[in-house]
Amino acid sequence: MQLPAESRTIRRLHPELNWDVSDYLLALIADQLANIAYGMGGSKGRKPKPIPRPKARKEKKSRPSVDQKRVHALLFAPRGHEEGE
């Protein structure tokens, strides 16, 4: 949490931070100029593709692996008695 945005750890966890604001603005300008040129050319040929931006990672939703016997022991054991005591 306390690491700066430029740190390798933060950039590894959040790839969208690999670009700063000026990089995003330059990509947007380049995309818009390509679209303007395409439109002024009569919209013929292939439509220009936008410059790929770094994307945020999707969080994997996984269920934790829990032993059913352990859950049963925790839920149905007498109060004040935990497994291993």
Side-chain angles (χ1 to χ4, degrees), residues 65-77:
S65 165
V66 180
D67 182 29
Q68 206 169 22
K69 289 180 183 178
R70 172 85 172 129
V71 171
H72 189 271
L74 289 171
L75 290 175
F76 300 111

Side-chain angles (χ1 to χ4, degrees), residues 5-54:
E6 303 84 31
S7 72
R8 287 174 40 183
T9 303
I10 293 295
R11 288 179 187 248
R12 174 81 177 178
L13 294 173
H14 301 282
E16 70 276 11
L17 295 176
N18 284 329
W19 282 16
D20 58 6
V21 173
S22 62
D23 293 330
Y24 281 104
L25 289 174
L26 286 171
L28 181 64
I29 291 168
D31 290 343
Q32 292 302 318
L33 286 174
N35 286 328
I36 290 169
Y38 175 73
M40 291 182 73
S43 300
K44 296 179 181 176
R46 284 190 282 167
K47 190 172 182 179
K49 293 182 180 179
I51 295 174
R53 273 79 164 168

